[in-house]
Amino acid sequence: MKQLAITFSALIFFMHVQAQHYTPVDESSEIKFTIKNFGISTPGTFKGLKGSIAFSPDNLSAAFFNATIDAATINTGIDTRNNHLKKEEYFNVAKYPLINFVSTRLTANETEKNTYTLFGKLTIKGTTKEISFPFKAEQQGNGILFTGSFKINRRDFKVGGNSMVLGDNVEIFLKVFAKKL
């Protein structure tokens, strides 16, 4: 009986320190970007967010983020531009329908509460690059709201070629609501 009580206590402790599991909610999230086009900041969005998240501020070593977005959902507000960006030279959505991020580690910001740095691998159009970026995590109802932003060079991912009018740097803004499973 004593052994059973010790095992049960250990199981409760183990469950407490494990990361909580969440799933991103596409309709409650925003994936936005801006890029210079003819010198003007041009915005756009993506939808189709799916994935899984394990996160607990008390156990960052068990945290992971694995998320995809549907590249064909690109929306700049201009249908002709959207269709052009879906073609082979840009996102080639027929061959590479998903953009994927998989985390490799997570660290806490020592000076700012609820702020972390996420490290991982971003895959766009079959090219994978290591990235890192800061984000905030705030409890919200039955889930967590993750917000952050980062910059990439589109040409690192073979999205479009040389251009006199299109900038190379893209800033991505994330507002991801994930509900607890």
Side-chain angles (χ1 to χ4, degrees):
M1 185 68 168
K2 186 176 182 181
Q3 183 66 22
L4 181 61
I6 292 171
T7 302
F8 182 74
S9 296
L11 180 61
I12 295 295
F13 176 76
F14 180 75
M15 289 172 56
H16 178 70
V17 298
Q18 287 296 323
Q20 299 286 329
H21 290 272
Y22 300 87
T23 186
V25 180
D26 185 49
E27 51 279 349
S28 300
S29 300
E30 296 177 350
I31 311 297
K32 296 181 179 182
F33 66 88
T34 60
I35 187 168
K36 296 280 186 178
N37 191 14
F38 288 101
I40 299 169
S41 287
T42 303
T45 62
F46 286 100
K47 295 302 278 175
L49 177 64
K50 294 182 181 176
S52 59
I53 298 170
F55 178 79
S56 172
D58 300 328
N59 189 6
L60 297 182
S61 65
F64 72 84
F65 293 73
N66 184 349
T68 61
I69 55 173
D70 182 350
T73 65
I74 190 165
N75 184 356
T76 62
I78 301 172
D79 288 340
T80 306
R81 181 188 298 148
N82 298 342
N83 291 333
H84 184 71
L85 292 172
K86 293 175 188 178
K87 293 184 178 181
E88 185 176 347
E89 180 185 2
Y90 289 91
F91 287 98
N92 195 0
V93 300
K95 186 173 181 180
Y96 303 103
L98 300 175
I99 296 171
N100 181 247
F101 177 81
V102 177
S103 65
T104 54
R105 69 185 170 106
L106 178 66
T107 60
N109 181 320
E110 299 295 326
T111 59
E112 195 171 342
K113 186 177 178 183
N114 299 326
T115 303
Y116 307 87
T117 300
L118 186 59
F119 298 82
K121 296 179 181 187
L122 178 64
T123 303
I124 301 173
K125 201 176 172 183
T127 300
T128 302
K129 298 283 182 184
E130 294 273 343
I131 67 166
S132 65
F133 60 94
F135 75 91
K136 280 189 162 267
E138 299 174 288
Q139 285 294 137
Q140 200 175 71
N142 68 337
I144 297 182
L145 181 64
F146 299 99
T147 55
S149 67
F150 59 94
K151 292 181 182 179
I152 60 170
N153 184 317
R154 67 176 175 81
R155 293 177 60 198
D156 289 346
F157 295 92
K158 301 177 179 90
V159 177
N162 290 336
S163 177
M164 298 281 292
V165 297
L166 185 62
D168 291 340
N169 296 318
V170 181
E171 188 163 13
I172 293 98
F173 304 91
L174 305 172
K175 182 179 167 186
V176 175
F177 176 73
K179 67 179 177 180
K180 191 173 181 181
L181 294 178

